[in-house]
Amino acid sequence: MEPKDETAVLWHDLKQNLLAGTRLALFLPVRALDFRISIGQYVALVFAGFGFWLAGGMLLAGFPGSVDFGALTVALAEIPLLLGTCLLAARLFREAQLAVAFAVLLVATDPVYEIAGVAVQVATSLDAIEPYAGTVNWALIAWAFAVLARTLYVLTGWRGRPSVLAFGLFAGLLVALVAVFPRSELWIAVQDDRAEAARPRLTQEEVFHRQGILLDERLAALSPERRGVVDLYFVGVAGDGKQDTFYAELLSIKEVLDERFDTAGRSIELVNNPATLKEHPVATVSNLRSTLAHLGNTINTEEDIVLLHIATHGSGDYRLVLDLPPLELAQLTPSALARMLADSGIKWKVIVISACFSGGFIEPLKDDNTLIITAADAFHSSFGCDYDSDYTWFSQALYDKALRETFSLVEAFEVAKEAVGDRERAEGQPPSNPQMFAGDAMRKKLAALEKRLAARPVEPPQKSRESSVRASESTIVVAKGR
């Protein structure tokens, strides 16, 4: 046969296998005879699967980008595992030729899983579907196991004990690949090196000196308190400078509070983020102490309320991360925060801490004039601080949902707690158990604030600005048949 004819046959058989694999995965009518079984077709299907994998990653991540050869290495390591399992399954049926047939049929479904993986990520980014990501995950798992069962039946029919044992082999392989060898995306987006080089750094003299005066400028620019008005002042702290999540959360919270809680002109943000060194004072223990001390000296402490929101990572020993390389920053502890609040002279305080183990801050901070809300109890993690998200789960539920519908922080907490619990159960996460402490005097004070805000002419509640969090890695792994 001429080389040209061989190539034409290869492409024809590959298209036939891809069509039959699609029908197999979608439970459309298909027969074993619809597949073209050979080692050459297995190799061609492997490369076709990689091509769909790469194309899907490009669609999701965009450009510029590069191939992640680490992900490719993991994928190549899966090949001998699959072939070995196919050989064992063929021995169970005592038909050696079934080994290649199993391999061809299983790999022929890969492009369908790749397309489904992209569709899942796009779909779960939509507001209406994102809360059901956990349900989608379980549906994809069930689909993958069902396709395995159908593959066996299409090739061998029902043969009793060998069929049961073979299904157990392939099901075990799927579980092992998901748990031990999960694939990440083959195509990853990369930052523009020129843009990265242009980012301000603390080691630059201009930035270093700018930070020295930035806090004073921001504090001096705060609007004065109004006599006879319960003013709300907002202090936001984005602690971890290694990811954008906390800074993005702070900006969204400020927008909500400015729109609905009359904090416009009465907000200050302390941010650890390399991109904001010229715009925002950095989040350090010293800067937070100075900010609170300034407010204590300028607001009407008997009348006004300060809302302090801290978003960062937390640890089991109750330290909130303040991090901005190359600086070596002191971490924020419950005792340090309690001391600076006491020293500031601020009487009426709302403290919201969005961090793991943040419930450990309640006992040292609570008093009759304080409302404390934490994203987790003292023994559990909270969720949502992924590198590709711009809202943690609890803060999203509290500010971006509940506080768009009510002026009551206490009511909003209860709504947010229930929403987070529902989301954790849906996505198979352990409960974070958000906590709240409200002093009796503070409840009465907040009621006065709620009454004033409810009487203001404000725009109708805007639609939630919740961020699109990608489906969990396990969802995508299963969706791609890995």
Side-chain angles (χ1 to χ4, degrees), residues 82-92 96 99 102:
L82 173 62
L83 293 177
T85 304
C86 291
L87 285 170
L88 290 175
R91 288 180 65 86
L92 289 172
F102 281 135

Side-chain angles (χ1 to χ4, degrees), residues 200-398:
R201 302 177 187 277
L202 276 173
T203 51
Q204 297 172 348
E205 182 176 1
E206 176 189 359
V207 176
F208 180 79
H209 287 292
R210 176 70 178 146
Q211 272 294 323
I213 61 174
L214 198 50
L215 179 62
D216 290 339
E217 288 181 354
R218 293 295 182 266
L219 291 174
L222 291 174
S223 299
E225 67 90 22
R226 295 167 290 188
R227 181 175 298 180
V229 177
V230 180
D231 283 316
L232 180 66
Y233 283 79
F234 172 62
V235 179
V237 177
D240 192 338
K242 292 181 179 178
Q243 62 187 98
D244 295 335
T245 303
F246 306 113
Y247 171 52
E249 173 170 307
L250 221 59
L251 291 183
S252 298
I253 291 171
K254 180 183 182 299
E255 184 174 347
V256 173
L257 295 179
D258 283 355
E259 289 175 358
R260 291 185 44 79
F261 285 78
D262 197 22
T263 60
R266 295 177 175 83
S267 299
I268 181 168
E269 300 80 45
L270 307 179
V271 179
N272 286 339
N273 191 292
T276 68
L277 292 173
K278 293 183 179 180
E279 290 79 35
H280 294 290
V282 295
T284 66
V285 170
S286 297
N287 276 356
L288 180 56
R289 181 184 296 112
S290 298
T291 299
L292 296 174
H294 175 86
L295 290 175
N297 288 327
T298 56
I299 68 173
N300 184 334
T301 56
E302 292 296 324
E303 189 173 65
D304 301 326
I305 302 171
V306 173
L307 191 163
L308 169 63
H309 178 93
I310 304 174
T312 188
H313 293 294
S315 62
D317 59 354
Y318 313 136
R319 294 175 181 269
L320 298 179
V321 172
L322 300 179
D323 183 64
L324 185 63
L327 297 179
E328 295 183 9
L329 301 179
Q331 307 302 282
L332 185 59
T333 64
S335 58
L337 182 55
R339 172 49 53 192
M340 65 177 69
L341 286 167
D343 291 344
S344 72
I346 298 171
K347 181 177 180 179
W348 303 106
K349 306 172 291 293
V350 175
I351 303 168
V352 183
I353 304 178
S354 179
C356 298
F357 311 105
S358 47
F361 277 71
I362 291 180
E363 195 64 32
L365 299 180
K366 69 180 186 179
D367 62 38
D368 199 37
N369 303 316
T370 302
L371 171 69
I372 306 169
I373 292 174
T374 64
D377 63 20
F379 309 104
H380 290 87
S381 298
S382 55
F383 301 98
C385 52
D386 307 294
Y387 281 82
D388 58 353
S389 65
D390 54 13
Y391 241 133
T392 57
W393 289 7
F394 180 76
S395 292
Q396 184 181 65
L398 180 67

